Amino acid sequence: MVQNVRVRKLLIGALAVATALVVGAVGTDFGAAIYAEYRLARSVRTAAHLQWDPWASILGFPFITQAVDRHYDEVEIRAAGVDHPRVGKVSLEATLHSIDLRDTGWLIGPDAKLPVGKAESRIIIDSTHLGRFIGIPDLLVEAPTGESNDATGGTTESGISSNRGVVFTGTPDKAGYHERVSIAVDLTITGPDQTTLVMTATGVLTGPGTADQPVPEDKRAAVLAAFSGRLPDQRLPFGLAPTAQGARGSDIIIEGIAEGVTVALDRFNLS
């Protein structure tokens, strides 16, 4: 009986030691990841001349193994409230996959140039700032009718809707029409450097999920013109070429995806 008690105590002690070691290892890994993310955020802020630290995340576990191997699986960077010469404020996002750290080390500095397997970057314009730009202050942007309007739906991996029939709802007072209406708008990118967003209103929408307000024929052309426009200087982080544009939530998003590129942190903000 006494021997059983001793064995039980030994087992409990061994288990406690093992648990402490595991918790300590996980805590160390977590702490190292937080510090690396902090340094990355500071480096992006410095290099891209941002007013405050962006949100930065280094994904994958364990972190220390990635740091030792000088290879991060995935990095995400997000900056909100970035000054923009056309619309006032935008948000910038980037997702980097398979990041080579051999020339920079695990703490990424502001001068870093990072070879990556795939880069995704996005510029995000919310309904409020876009509405001010086109002269419709109460503008609300939504995904095309029939498409999911959240960060998990849409037609791209990042949840961006298709670019045809994006729903713009607002009051086009400048067109001489003072009722709230919903308009189908097509989004395209044009210009020699592919940085101009073109918004082309194609029709009035009625029915469920819209303002359900018809427009008289004599006001139709002016109303459609009020919801149309050209928005220049939409330069994506790291200078990626746009590959998709659409709605996500109540925002317009322009996205670029490229494989096998090298990105420099000072090109995160090109506004």
Side-chain angles (χ1 to χ4, degrees):
M1 185 69 175
V2 174
Q3 185 175 0
N4 289 340
V5 171
R6 290 175 179 173
V7 170
R8 188 179 299 113
K9 288 181 177 180
L10 287 173
L11 289 175
I12 292 173
L15 181 60
V17 170
T19 301
L21 289 174
V22 170
V23 170
V26 171
T28 300
D29 191 86
F30 186 65
I34 289 177
Y35 182 64
E37 290 169 347
Y38 165 76
R39 287 287 300 271
L40 174 58
R42 296 294 294 180
S43 293
V44 173
R45 176 181 178 177
T46 299
H49 305 291
L50 301 175
Q51 293 181 340
W52 44 75
D53 290 356
W55 181 86
S57 180
I58 301 171
L59 306 179
F61 180 83
F63 168 80
I64 290 177
T65 300
Q66 297 184 71
V68 170
D69 291 341
R70 294 199 171 189
H71 183 277
Y72 289 155
D73 294 335
E74 185 174 337
V75 167
E76 292 184 353
I77 306 168
R78 300 175 188 171
V82 178
D83 290 336
H84 191 277
R86 300 291 182 172
V87 295
K89 298 288 184 181
V90 298
S91 295
L92 303 176
E93 291 183 356
T95 305
L96 308 177
H97 303 268
S98 189
I99 303 101
D100 186 344
L101 304 173
R102 284 176 293 181
D103 294 333
T104 62
W106 67 285
L107 295 176
I108 299 173
D111 298 326
K113 292 179 173 54
L114 304 171
V116 300
K118 182 170 78 168
E120 307 170 20
S121 70
R122 290 169 286 276
I123 185 168
I124 303 168
I125 311 154
D126 64 36
S127 293
T128 299
H129 288 90
L130 182 61
R132 290 172 184 167
F133 177 79
I134 66 175
I136 302 178
D138 64 342
L139 180 70
L140 175 65
V141 173
E142 297 175 282
T145 55
E147 289 188 19
S148 176
N149 194 10
D150 56 35
T152 61
T155 60
T156 72
E157 184 177 349
S158 52
I160 303 173
S161 77
S162 63
N163 66 318
R164 301 292 180 182
V166 175
V167 181
F168 281 23
T169 298
T171 308
D173 291 324
K174 68 179 185 178
Y177 191 70
H178 307 293
E179 300 291 338
R180 188 170 171 83
V181 297
S182 293
I183 304 296
V185 178
D186 291 348
L187 306 176
T188 54
I189 298 292
T190 189
D193 51 1
Q194 294 289 288
T195 58
T196 298
L197 175 68
V198 179
M199 299 164 283
T200 305
T202 59
V204 179
L205 298 172
T206 57
T210 73
D212 200 22
Q213 174 65 45
V215 176
E217 191 62 35
D218 63 333
K219 296 286 188 179
R220 186 180 180 88
V223 167
L224 293 182
F227 284 89
S228 300
R230 298 170 65 90
L231 179 53
D233 298 329
Q234 301 307 301
R235 294 178 174 84
L236 296 181
F238 306 124
L240 299 190
T243 55
Q245 55 278 338
R248 187 177 71 187
S250 59
D251 303 326
I252 291 295
I253 300 185
I254 306 169
E255 178 181 63
I257 299 176
E259 295 186 355
V261 296
T262 297
V263 300
L265 297 189
D266 62 0
R267 289 181 59 78
F268 177 74
N269 177 21
L270 298 176
S271 299

